[in-house]
Amino acid sequence: MPSGPGPVRRIVSLVPSLTEAVAATAPGLLVGATDWCSHPADLAVARIGGTKNPDVRRIAALAPDLVLANDEENRRPDLDALRAAGLAVWVTDIRTLEQAFDSLHRLLTLGCGLPRPAWLDAAEAAWAASTPPGSVLRRAVVPVWRRPWMVLGRDTFAGDLLRRLGVQVTLHAGHPDRYPAVPLPELLASGPEVVVLPDEPYRFTAEDGPEAFPGIPAALLSGRHLTWYGPSLAQAPRVLGAQLARARPGAAPD
């Protein structure tokens, strides 16, 4: 929670999706963001390093009222160092779409003292209106890294979104790791009906990824719409749904 009784006037964000969320709601609050915070494209704030290696001294020098972080994206030693410097750190932990909506509402209204933004209402409406999948979901492997191959496992935000769009990440849902490293032969032997290849954190493309899964329909997805929780959620059902629809036998991936 924010430190002190006053309102939040200065925010440093260590999470690209939360940077976009604050910028779309009250851009004047942002004074710092990571090098990976790419939206909005014209964001003009101090850059404080990466999500995994933020410059704690630079952040402290910006004197933020609140630092935004994520349990999965940011390292605990960095967050501990920020707290030790006397900074208030708000940490999100998102595993489902409902958690994302609730967390964004609490952060922006309670944490930052802002009115609930219209884009959040639009995002909830977009997902409520999206066509629910049928009873049979396509079984998928969803790589998020290559060399070594790593895939979505259990209990992930991206997996929850895919399920709502008709894709079940069942092949490794029972793995003890949320992002297990799985050798390619094992991925192929698991018999996926589709391979889902987002463009982040690893940038899969039509030339880098589908060739490793011969004969299996491949869907190239926008990583921002699949993994970010913020304003992009309003377009995510339409964007991801269209990209998934292209993953059919014989279709050339975009």
Side-chain angles (χ1 to χ4, degrees):
M1 294 295 290
S3 60
V8 172
R9 300 188 185 279
R10 298 173 63 83
I11 290 176
V12 169
S13 174
L14 306 183
V15 187
S17 57
L18 295 182
T19 299
E20 185 180 21
V22 175
T25 309
L29 295 183
L30 281 169
V31 296
T34 74
D35 300 337
W36 299 103
C37 293
S38 57
H39 288 74
D42 60 351
L43 183 65
V45 297
R47 299 294 176 160
I48 48 76
T51 57
K52 305 297 185 186
N53 59 342
D55 187 330
V56 174
R57 289 186 179 181
R58 183 165 174 77
I59 294 171
L62 292 171
D65 302 306
L66 192 61
V67 177
L68 307 183
N70 174 259
D71 181 70
E72 180 177 284
E73 198 154 359
N74 306 117
R75 300 186 316 132
R76 186 153 301 179
D78 294 323
L79 304 186
D80 290 342
L82 290 167
R83 292 189 178 101
L87 302 178
V89 182
W90 183 293
V91 182
T92 62
D93 184 9
I94 308 298
R95 310 293 177 92
T96 68
L97 182 63
E98 286 88 355
Q99 286 179 340
F101 287 146
D102 179 65
S103 179
L104 287 164
H105 174 79
R106 288 187 293 106
L107 168 62
L108 296 171
T109 62
L110 299 179
C112 300
L114 301 170
R116 179 180 168 91
W119 63 258
L120 185 52
D121 291 329
E124 290 195 352
W127 280 96
S130 63
T131 303
S135 57
V136 179
L137 305 181
R138 287 184 290 176
R139 295 179 301 112
V141 292
V142 188
V144 294
W145 201 256
R146 185 172 188 169
R147 293 182 290 272
W149 288 95
M150 298 178 69
V151 298
L152 288 187
R154 61 176 180 83
D155 196 24
T156 66
F157 174 68
D160 186 52
L161 264 58
L162 287 171
R163 179 185 59 80
R164 297 167 187 272
L165 296 170
V167 175
Q168 188 70 48
V169 188
T170 57
L171 300 182
H172 299 94
H175 198 283
D177 296 331
R178 296 178 65 219
Y179 301 95
V182 183
L184 181 60
E186 185 176 331
L187 294 178
L188 295 171
S190 64
E193 297 172 286
V194 62
V195 56
V196 174
L197 299 167
D199 62 10
E200 62 175 77
Y202 185 92
R203 186 172 180 78
F204 288 105
T205 68
E207 292 74 35
D208 185 358
E211 82 291 342
F213 299 86
I216 302 173
L220 294 171
L221 265 56
S222 163
R224 173 169 167 260
H225 291 92
L226 180 64
T227 64
W228 289 32
Y229 48 98
S232 60
L233 283 173
Q235 295 80 41
R238 173 181 55 81
V239 171
L240 297 176
Q243 292 172 334
L244 286 167
R246 301 188 188 111
R248 57 186 187 275
D254 291 346

